[in-house]
Amino acid sequence: QKEVEQNSGPLSVPEGAIASLNCTYSDRGSQSFFWYRQYSGKSPELIMSIYSNGDKEDGRFTAQLNKASQYVSLLIRDSQPSDSATYLCAVKSSGDSWGKFQFGAGTQVVVTP
Amino acid sequence: GAGVSQSPRYKVAKRGQDVALRCDPISGHVSLFWYQQALGQGPEFLTYFQNEAQLDKSGLPSDRFFAERPEGSVSTLKIQRTQQEDSAVYLCASSSLSDTQYFGPGTRLTVL
């Protein structure tokens, strides 16, 4: 079992709709969680970080964290074709003082006009 | 430069050759990470530096992989006697004291 799990997709979303991405993790002591976007052939870029239970909003993006259930999600509102990319969930592990990042395999999102 | 840079961007090696991949982190960033990303997968951790100290190399797949950061800035990932399974994108990321990692464009290694 991988330490960070994501549905691989592709997740097909009509333009203007909400895309909902989920991520589960196994390290119960993890404290820091991140969503990265990766366009094909490009490197990951940070969208959001979240550290506390609840919701965190940034523009069209909302991250949701539930540590008790060990999942973190990302909502993309008013999806645009430019949102078509792979979204990577990353979790900073609790085992080391500096914290190793574990990445999920990513969920591919395709926004259709 | 403003971001993390990596060179070369593409590298083709014959099986058995040695390769060296370079990473220039953002100026002043203490932490530097190397990841390996296979097609369709997320980045897999290889190694971590804090300044010149290599604090974690648990992700290096074999003793053919070696990384260094002698002066605490530029880092080099060296792969000796390359094998076909080494073909992947090698990503470098740097961060300051925060958790945010900034990735370079990556080096795509193809071993024939």
Side-chain angles (χ1 to χ4, degrees):
Chain A
Q1 181 185 3
K2 286 183 66 71
E3 296 187 35
V4 179
E5 299 268 8
Q6 296 181 254
N7 292 328
S8 61
L11 177 66
S12 184
V13 180
E15 184 174 357
I18 296 175
S20 178
L21 293 77
N22 294 317
C23 169
T24 58
Y25 60 93
S26 59
D27 182 357
R28 183 169 289 278
S30 298
Q31 297 295 322
S32 306
F33 308 87
F34 307 85
W35 283 100
Y36 283 82
R37 177 175 62 199
Q38 187 172 29
Y39 292 114
S40 180
K42 302 295 185 182
S43 59
E45 54 180 332
L46 182 69
I47 298 175
M48 293 189 68
S49 58
I50 186 167
Y51 303 93
S52 304
N53 282 328
D55 295 359
K56 179 181 179 182
E57 187 175 316
D58 184 358
R60 296 187 294 111
F61 298 96
T62 298
Q64 300 173 318
L65 175 61
N66 184 323
K67 291 183 182 179
S69 299
Q70 294 176 241
Y71 84 78
V72 57
S73 63
L74 181 70
L75 300 178
I76 308 173
R77 291 183 301 281
D78 187 25
S79 295
Q80 301 297 309
S82 59
D83 294 327
S84 297
T86 296
Y87 290 80
L88 299 166
C89 173
V91 177
K92 184 178 177 182
S93 65
S94 60
D96 303 283
S97 59
W98 60 271
K100 181 186 302 184
F101 277 55
Q102 300 284 355
F103 282 84
T107 297
Q108 183 185 7
V109 172
V110 179
V111 180
T112 55
Chain B
V4 180
S5 61
Q6 293 185 246
S7 61
R9 293 294 312 279
Y10 304 90
K11 177 68 178 178
V12 178
K14 292 182 179 179
R15 191 174 57 182
Q17 282 185 330
D18 298 349
V19 299
L21 312 180
R22 177 187 168 105
C23 172
D24 271 280
I26 293 172
S27 178
H29 276 193
V30 169
S31 299
L32 186 146
F33 304 81
W34 283 99
Y35 294 89
Q36 180 190 62
Q37 187 172 26
L39 191 64
Q41 299 297 314
E44 293 282 346
F45 169 80
L46 294 177
T47 188
Y48 163 70
F49 289 87
Q50 187 175 88
N51 296 307
E52 69 279 4
Q54 189 175 21
L55 298 187
D56 191 330
K57 56 181 181 180
S58 61
L60 296 177
S62 74
D63 58 7
R64 296 186 296 104
F65 287 71
F66 172 76
E68 60 183 4
R69 193 186 185 197
E71 297 178 359
S73 56
V74 171
S75 178
T76 304
L77 176 67
K78 298 179 179 177
I79 309 173
Q80 297 176 324
R81 304 180 304 281
T82 53
Q83 304 294 313
Q84 285 188 324
E85 61 262 28
D86 300 335
S87 295
V89 175
Y90 290 85
L91 295 166
C92 175
S94 70
S95 69
S96 59
L97 297 177
S98 72
D99 283 338
T100 303
Q101 293 191 21
Y102 298 89
F103 283 85
T107 294
R108 182 176 297 277
L109 173 65
T110 302
V111 181
L112 303 177

